[in-house]
Amino acid sequence: MGDARAAATSSPPSRTRARPSARATQGGRLEARRAAFLTAAWAVFEEKGYDGATIDEVIARSGGSRQTLYALFGGKQGLFEALVVEVCETIFRGLAPEALGPQPLEAALSEIGERYLLGVTSRRALSLHRLMISEAARVPKLAERFWRRGPGAARLFLAQFLEARKAEGRIVVADGARAADHFLDMLTGTIRQQCLIGARKPPGRAEARALVASAVTQFLRGAAPRPAGA
């Protein structure tokens, strides 16, 4: 009888633990809604340009509400900045200057360079770049935000890494930011221009690796510490 009473009064623990909390469920819905807004915004910006894009069309394509969109992004400008950040963060996701520091310099620069080259020649990054070229003259503040959150953020990432290696005496450069410009421009100066105008297809991983290896070799030759008295 005691066993029967215990079985009747106890509840299956597995069912109780399997239920997600209301907060987790709401967070998942918001994340899904955010992704839907961004997907719709990409399509609208590509078709209409920044100036021609409207919040109404993004809402219609995403199936969301105006209230939710404004709560998540604040408006069209916030949507665009979120797209820029998404592209930039995808390039260097999981990398940090302090984590790369202990690696051999050639290996660290190769990883940074390969991610950057493949990132900026991706379909989405090229589309974003073309959009900015067409809109920058009409919306200069948008161009400033694009640079700060996109290309400028990538250069800052590399500049911090190079300054740390300079402080360790592993490279000799006058300025980390300028050295970062030189290295990244060695990677993309020609190939990205060709991709932007459709003169060639974006590089695959094997070609990108070869291009990066050449750039790393040339960069380190110029930045290598000189023996005393040389």
Side-chain angles (χ1 to χ4, degrees):
M1 186 177 209
D3 291 343
R5 184 180 300 168
T9 56
S10 62
S11 58
S14 58
R15 290 185 182 178
T16 303
R17 284 194 294 268
R19 291 179 182 174
S21 67
R23 181 177 297 179
T25 301
Q26 183 180 15
R29 288 173 182 167
L30 278 177
E31 189 58 34
R33 178 53 52 208
R34 184 179 188 277
F37 280 134
L38 290 176
T39 298
W42 268 115
V44 175
F45 283 136
E46 282 186 318
E47 291 176 19
K48 306 293 180 66
Y50 180 84
D51 200 41
T54 66
I55 290 295
D56 287 339
E57 191 161 2
V58 173
I59 292 169
R61 294 195 188 197
S62 68
S65 70
R66 182 178 298 273
Q67 180 180 2
T68 303
L69 186 147
Y70 275 93
L72 289 171
F73 303 103
K76 185 165 74 169
Q77 178 183 304
L79 265 174
F80 180 80
E81 289 192 7
L83 295 176
V84 173
V85 170
E86 183 186 63
V87 170
C88 185
E89 287 184 347
T90 298
I91 294 174
F92 290 141
R93 184 166 293 152
L95 290 183
E98 60 272 15
L100 289 168
Q103 294 186 25
L105 195 53
E106 183 176 357
L109 284 174
S110 295
E111 183 170 5
I112 293 171
E114 188 174 334
R115 287 202 186 198
Y116 183 77
L117 179 56
L118 290 173
V120 300
T121 56
S122 67
R123 185 198 68 80
R124 190 163 273 194
L126 290 170
S127 175
L128 188 61
H129 198 104
R130 294 187 191 105
L131 176 63
M132 282 312 310
I133 291 173
S134 67
E135 300 290 342
R138 286 195 295 271
V139 196
K141 288 186 178 180
L142 188 67
E144 293 170 11
R145 294 187 182 94
F146 167 77
W147 180 262
R148 186 174 65 252
R149 305 300 295 271
R155 279 165 163 73
L156 179 60
F157 175 92
L158 181 56
Q160 291 173 342
F161 172 80
L162 294 176
E163 282 291 347
R165 306 294 78 77
K166 174 184 175 182
E168 296 168 353
R170 294 168 65 184
I171 56 173
V172 177
V173 295
D175 177 76
R178 187 174 300 172
D181 281 343
H182 292 165
F183 179 67
L184 296 180
D185 288 345
M186 286 170 68
L187 293 174
T188 61
T190 299
I191 195 168
R192 181 165 56 175
Q193 291 296 326
Q194 291 176 318
C195 291
L196 281 169
I197 63 174
R200 61 154 293 160
K201 293 181 179 179
R205 189 166 295 278
E207 184 185 4
R209 189 165 293 147
L211 290 166
V212 170
S214 177
V216 169
T217 297
Q218 293 298 321
F219 180 82
L220 290 180
R221 281 178 183 171
R226 302 292 187 271

